[in-house]
Amino acid sequence: MTTSVPLARITDGVIDPRAVEQEVWTTADGAMVTFSGIVRDHDGGRSDVQHIEYSAHPTAAKILGRLCEEIATETSGPAGRVRVGAVHRVGVLPVGEVAVVVVAVAPHRAEAFAACSELIERLKHGVPIWKRQLFSDGLSEWVGVGDC
């Protein structure tokens, strides 16, 4: 089920990367590039991240949708239209959970790779989503505050 509107969603539910791919891909696409951001157990020299809590501003989905449109337009070429989708999770995520999935599909690989890479970069720096890392000693740290 693909529409002309890019998939751009903030969710508190588990993200299945394959389901996101299915929402974006069509039979006209010969290339699909998927990026999954997964909660890891270390950051900033600390190896004891227990979980991450993601928070999003109420405008995050709208901004994400605008970025998806921009990327699709900028990376589409003479061979056809690039379609992209992005889903970011909010809430408390344990180590190993998928936090974000970005998918780009196109008739050919070059456009799909370029779109996927550019979208995750812009998402990280332009969508008001912040994370709070909690460590095994009970300390926590906010990451991303001030990036947007």
Side-chain angles (χ1 to χ4, degrees):
M1 178 185 144
T2 301
T3 66
S4 61
V5 177
L7 170 64
R9 188 167 49 234
I10 307 298
T11 183
D12 61 0
V14 173
I15 303 171
D16 176 0
R18 300 299 163 243
V20 177
E21 291 172 349
Q22 297 261 329
E23 286 190 63
V24 180
W25 181 80
T26 71
T27 57
D29 300 308
M32 178 186 310
V33 177
T34 303
F35 169 81
S36 295
I38 302 166
V39 177
R40 63 180 180 256
D41 65 358
H42 66 280
D43 191 52
R46 292 196 63 161
S47 60
D48 60 339
V49 173
Q50 297 298 299
H51 63 269
I52 293 179
E53 179 181 355
Y54 286 94
S55 302
H57 189 273
T59 61
K62 182 177 179 180
I63 293 168
L64 182 57
R66 188 187 76 237
L67 288 178
C68 287
E69 273 292 334
E70 289 173 5
I71 296 299
T73 299
E74 292 170 14
T75 57
S76 290
R81 174 116 169 111
V82 173
R83 280 179 308 289
V84 298
V87 179
H88 201 298
R89 191 163 167 200
V90 293
V92 177
L93 282 69
V95 170
E97 288 285 320
V98 175
V100 62
V101 172
V102 171
V103 176
V105 297
H108 302 286
R109 69 182 175 272
E111 293 86 359
F113 274 108
C116 188
S117 179
E118 186 62 24
L119 181 52
I120 191 60
E121 288 303 318
R122 290 192 199 178
L123 184 158
K124 295 285 288 180
H125 298 289
V127 179
I129 297 173
W130 306 279
K131 67 181 181 179
R132 183 174 150 231
Q133 300 181 126
L134 284 90
F135 302 100
S136 61
D137 59 8
L139 295 177
S140 67
E141 130 186 290
W142 284 95
V143 180
V145 176
D147 284 355
C148 298

